[in-house]
Amino acid sequence: MAEVQTLSGGAGGLQDCIVKVSKMSKGGIESVDAMVHQLLGDDHQPTVIIYIPSTKDTQEATSNHRSIHSDSDSSVSGVSAIPLSLSVGDLPLPVRVSKSGPPSDPLEQQVGKAEWVHGYFFRESPEWLVEPDMSLIKEIVEPHLEKHGFGTKDISVEFFAGGALNKLYTITSTTAQPDQKHQCIFRVTMPVDPWYKTESEVATIEYVRRHTSIPVPEIYAFDSSVDNKLGFEWIMMEKVKGQPLLHYWDTHTHQVDIFDMATKLQIARTVAEWVHQLSKLTFDRIGSLYIDWDTPKPTFKLGRVVDADFFRGRRLAYKVFRGPFRDIEQYYRSVIELQLQEIHDPTERTRLEARLLRIEQAKKAEEEKARQETEAAAKNPEGEADEDGTQSEQNESSKIDWDHVDDEDDWYREQDFTGIPKACHALLSVLPVILFRDPPVKEPNTLYHFDISVKNVLVDDSGSLVGLVDWEIINTSPYENLRAYPGLLDNDGYNITTLELWDGGEKDKTRLSYELHHVQTLLCKEFRTYLEHKASPWLRAFAEPSPESTELMTRVHEIPSNQDTMEEWAQCIEQGREWDRVFGGPVET
């Protein structure tokens, strides 16, 4: 039998109960539902059941239940998962087209479809090499349109929008009787993290649909494999009837601003309610959500993280533990190990040598062109154009595009191959020192949507929020690592509570900036006041971590740009001295 305990609860809420299973004997998993109902009543459905293996008997009891273990990619035994019935609220599951698992060689799936160029994701950003074939999209969606009763007459496919990792298409079709049009979204994803990114995004949206009132798009069908006509993973989902908030109100420039203050305050309260609900979804590990489809009754589970730090460039090829992580230290160690493996990757050395060769060849070409131009000028001292009038064109063409030839700021330099490993080892040595002095509060992790911004919040003409989109690369995270204010309320650190009356003249840029930050200050206050009224767990995100912990997080994620001071900083921390973040050195005593 299993022993269950109510950790938090209340009547009638969306996340009104968390049940902890602290002890379980053989056969205990099947008995949990009965015990929960005995504890809470037959009409009550718990939000989350967290299984925490703590004894040898527990491990034996769960060894035959895949839903209890971490993702198959995770090699650490005893990792907890979060089993949960998917029948809560009788919501249907999307159609899962492919039953295959993750590919054995994920980088092979990127060949001919995507490549990494310097830019967006720190040093590298993915770039499409081929456009999805819209005629094939039409073939793919037809059976799913029919299955969901949307009609298959006059199917059309139009490009809707594109992002860093996806291309979206609007699917329009007509039903036969009655003659009605229907639209949905077909989202094609770049294979930056094959299988895992799509599977996790679907699981995250399904989890949020079942455990919050946050409006998310319904998913009709998806394919997490590239073994289809299109050659890409895809998701077919509801087209939410709304527009990005950016079209009505640009919270950062106010160049677009049609909502009155009352509407803006209501938006702030609604977003506060969203993050409040998310913060009540708690997990004991840092990872990404997945659905275990192989059990008789599908369950949610935590698995490896889907994050740019783990998949950009060639990082999918590196052997490193990818989660779920027991704590932030284990997570940081994996990020540092990925950086170490990347700088030791022969591909990076080859890339540097190719760049140096380009520079050498370009310099020789420039010298040769300069010599030819000098000789031509000696023969034609008056600078007259040739008969064909090409002299000026030749002079222009002799210029070297050094930004293209020498992209030193975007790829590794010679000194990085010694500096970065030293920086990584310094980080690894100081990591337990900082976390021992300022240990993270032993609290659960929560599901964190890091991009609640004006482009991902959908709104109708009245100002009511009707959707929150972009649930890819969403992980569970410690409260202390959350950004307290969502992106659409971010105020760049300003706190302008009062504003002097304007004399009626034309407003300059300074005045407009003050007014913008004054509005954002009031909205941030409304946001926090709402959370305080709810006694929300999200309030933990407002707690200030120590300067050492903040600096540690920055340096772990930006190792190359901090390598020059890493060893000095680590020595400073180990000696118990204070580090000046502004001037980049130890504080003089």
Side-chain angles (χ1 to χ4, degrees):
M1 292 293 289
E3 295 182 3
V4 297
Q5 174 187 2
T6 303
L7 300 184
S8 64
L14 286 163
Q15 306 82 25
D16 50 354
C17 179
I18 295 176
V19 176
K20 174 182 177 182
V21 179
S22 56
K23 183 178 180 182
M24 187 181 300
S25 61
K26 295 181 180 179
I29 293 175
E30 290 81 355
S31 67
V32 169
D33 285 346
M35 295 197 67
V36 167
H37 286 296
Q38 182 179 359
L39 180 69
L40 303 175
D42 292 336
D43 295 333
H44 193 91
Q45 189 65 261
T47 297
V48 181
I49 299 176
I50 303 180
Y51 292 92
I52 306 179
S54 58
T55 66
K56 180 179 179 181
D57 287 342
T58 303
Q59 294 171 354
E60 292 176 353
T62 60
S63 63
N64 294 323
H65 295 266
R66 294 185 58 187
S67 62
I68 299 300
H69 295 285
S70 66
D71 194 281
S72 59
D73 182 71
S74 304
S75 58
V76 176
S77 61
V79 176
S80 64
I82 300 89
L84 181 71
S85 168
L86 293 181
S87 62
V88 177
D90 295 323
L91 294 176
L93 282 171
V95 175
R96 186 176 186 240
V97 176
S98 173
K99 306 301 188 292
S100 62
S104 58
D105 186 356
L107 292 184
E108 183 181 10
Q109 299 204 355
Q110 297 178 3
V111 176
K113 299 174 183 177
E115 69 173 346
W116 293 87
V117 298
H118 59 78
Y120 188 74
F121 286 121
F122 179 56
R123 290 179 180 269
E124 296 162 297
S125 175
E127 191 173 82
W128 294 83
L129 294 180
V130 61
E131 289 292 322
D133 188 329
M134 288 196 288
S135 65
L136 295 177
I137 293 176
K138 183 176 179 180
E139 291 182 31
I140 289 173
V141 300
E142 184 170 359
H144 300 292
L145 291 172
E146 186 173 11
K147 176 180 175 62
H148 287 84
F150 299 148
T152 56
K153 287 177 54 182
D154 305 324
I155 300 175
S156 66
V157 181
E158 294 182 5
F159 180 77
F160 178 67
L165 305 178
N166 307 281
K167 290 184 181 293
L168 282 69
Y169 301 85
T170 299
I171 309 297
T172 305
S173 63
T174 306
T175 58
Q177 295 293 335
D179 194 21
Q180 294 181 336
K181 284 189 175 182
H182 181 273
Q183 288 189 328
C184 62
I185 292 294
F186 189 87
R187 194 163 179 259
V188 182
T189 187
M190 190 184 294
V192 292
D193 196 354
W195 192 87
Y196 288 101
K197 190 173 83 70
T198 297
E199 288 280 343
S200 178
E201 180 176 2
V202 169
T204 302
I205 290 176
E206 291 302 314
Y207 194 84
V208 171
R209 284 183 70 209
R210 286 162 170 77
H211 298 90
T212 76
S213 62
I214 299 172
V216 295
E218 180 181 353
I219 297 176
Y220 304 127
F222 72 98
D223 193 342
S224 56
S225 169
V226 299
D227 295 327
N228 54 50
K229 294 178 181 179
L230 191 62
F232 288 97
E233 300 172 43
W234 56 265
I235 299 175
M236 178 180 163
M237 63 178 69
E238 172 190 7
K239 184 174 184 181
V240 179
K241 294 180 180 179
Q243 295 291 330
L245 182 58
L246 181 64
H247 292 179
Y248 298 85
W249 173 35
D250 184 344
T251 60
H252 294 288
T253 68
H254 285 200
Q255 291 179 354
V256 179
D257 189 357
I258 66 172
F259 290 147
D260 59 23
M261 193 61 189
T263 302
K264 294 173 183 176
L265 290 170
Q266 181 56 46
I267 289 173
R269 289 190 291 269
T270 302
V271 172
E273 174 61 26
W274 288 357
V275 301
H276 167 62
Q277 292 184 25
L278 288 175
S279 70
K280 293 180 71 176
L281 306 177
T282 57
F283 310 83
D284 68 338
R285 301 268 166 161
I286 300 171
S288 294
L289 278 167
Y290 298 88
I291 296 174
D292 189 342
W293 301 88
D294 296 332
T295 56
K297 192 175 184 181
T299 54
F300 289 106
K301 65 176 182 178
L302 275 183
R304 58 179 268 177
V305 297
V306 177
D307 185 86
D309 276 337
F310 286 81
F311 64 62
R312 63 179 172 84
R314 287 179 41 80
R315 292 191 171 196
L316 289 177
Y318 305 151
K319 301 299 181 183
V320 64
F321 181 61
R322 298 173 182 271
F325 302 99
R326 65 175 178 271
D327 54 31
I328 197 64
E329 179 179 358
Q330 190 182 35
Y331 169 80
Y332 282 163
R333 287 186 179 277
S334 284
V335 175
I336 298 169
E337 177 61 28
L338 279 166
Q339 179 63 80
L340 268 173
Q341 291 196 34
E342 183 174 78
I343 199 63
H344 289 312
D345 189 335
T347 303
E348 297 300 333
R349 170 63 68 177
T350 301
R351 180 183 286 168
L352 172 63
E353 292 172 352
R355 180 171 63 82
L356 295 177
L357 179 60
R358 289 198 307 272
I359 294 172
E360 182 181 357
Q361 293 173 339
K363 285 181 178 179
K364 288 181 178 179
E366 188 176 57
E367 291 171 358
E368 176 61 22
K369 288 183 178 181
R371 184 187 65 79
Q372 293 174 0
E373 290 171 0
T374 301
E375 292 179 355
K379 294 178 181 178
N380 185 12
E382 300 300 325
E384 296 179 2
D386 297 332
E387 291 183 3
D388 59 1
T390 60
Q391 180 174 319
S392 61
E393 294 179 7
Q394 290 175 351
N395 290 338
E396 185 67 25
S397 66
S398 67
K399 295 180 181 179
I400 301 296
D401 182 5
W402 285 103
D403 288 338
H404 174 71
V405 172
D406 184 11
D407 50 0
E408 182 175 339
D409 292 337
D410 300 305
W411 302 114
Y412 291 124
R413 306 158 298 170
E414 180 63 45
Q415 58 265 40
D416 293 337
F417 290 91
T418 54
I420 288 179
K422 289 181 180 179
C424 288
H425 290 301
L427 265 177
L428 289 171
S429 68
V430 81
L431 193 61
V433 176
I434 293 178
L435 295 179
F436 177 78
R437 288 184 192 164
D438 185 32
V441 179
K442 296 297 181 181
E443 293 181 336
N445 303 288
T446 189
L447 194 61
Y448 177 43
H449 192 309
F450 63 88
D451 195 14
I452 303 180
S453 61
V454 290
K455 62 184 177 63
N456 290 328
V457 171
L458 305 183
V459 63
D460 63 17
D461 291 339
S462 69
S464 297
L465 304 192
V466 295
L468 177 59
V469 298
D470 200 3
W471 291 89
E472 64 180 357
I473 318 180
I474 300 300
N475 301 307
T476 60
S477 178
Y479 289 106
E480 59 265 24
N481 280 28
L482 308 185
R483 200 165 97 184
Y485 291 105
L488 66 85
L489 296 177
D490 184 40
N491 203 21
D492 299 324
Y494 286 88
N495 184 32
I496 302 176
T497 56
T498 59
L499 198 65
E500 295 181 1
L501 292 175
W502 190 246
D503 59 10
E506 184 178 355
K507 298 178 181 178
D508 57 18
K509 290 183 178 180
T510 301
R511 173 66 186 192
L512 292 173
S513 176
Y514 266 75
E515 289 183 358
L516 186 155
H517 291 301
H518 175 60
V519 170
Q520 290 297 100
T521 298
L522 297 179
L523 296 178
C524 286
K525 181 180 179 181
E526 188 74 9
F527 175 84
R528 184 162 183 171
T529 299
Y530 185 93
L531 294 173
E532 290 171 346
H533 175 72
K534 289 275 188 174
S536 176
W538 188 271
L539 292 170
R540 300 169 192 169
F542 289 94
E544 287 290 335
S546 71
E548 290 180 350
S549 296
T550 301
E551 182 74 9
L552 174 64
M553 180 170 63
T554 299
R555 287 179 175 269
V556 166
H557 292 290
E558 300 176 9
I559 294 173
S561 60
N562 286 284
Q563 61 180 298
D564 294 339
T565 61
M566 197 75 80
E567 290 183 298
E568 185 183 13
W569 170 75
Q571 291 174 0
C572 180
I573 298 302
E574 290 172 347
Q575 295 168 3
R577 302 169 63 192
E578 187 178 351
W579 181 264
D580 191 324
R581 297 191 68 190
V582 177
F583 295 101
V587 175
E588 298 296 334
T589 56

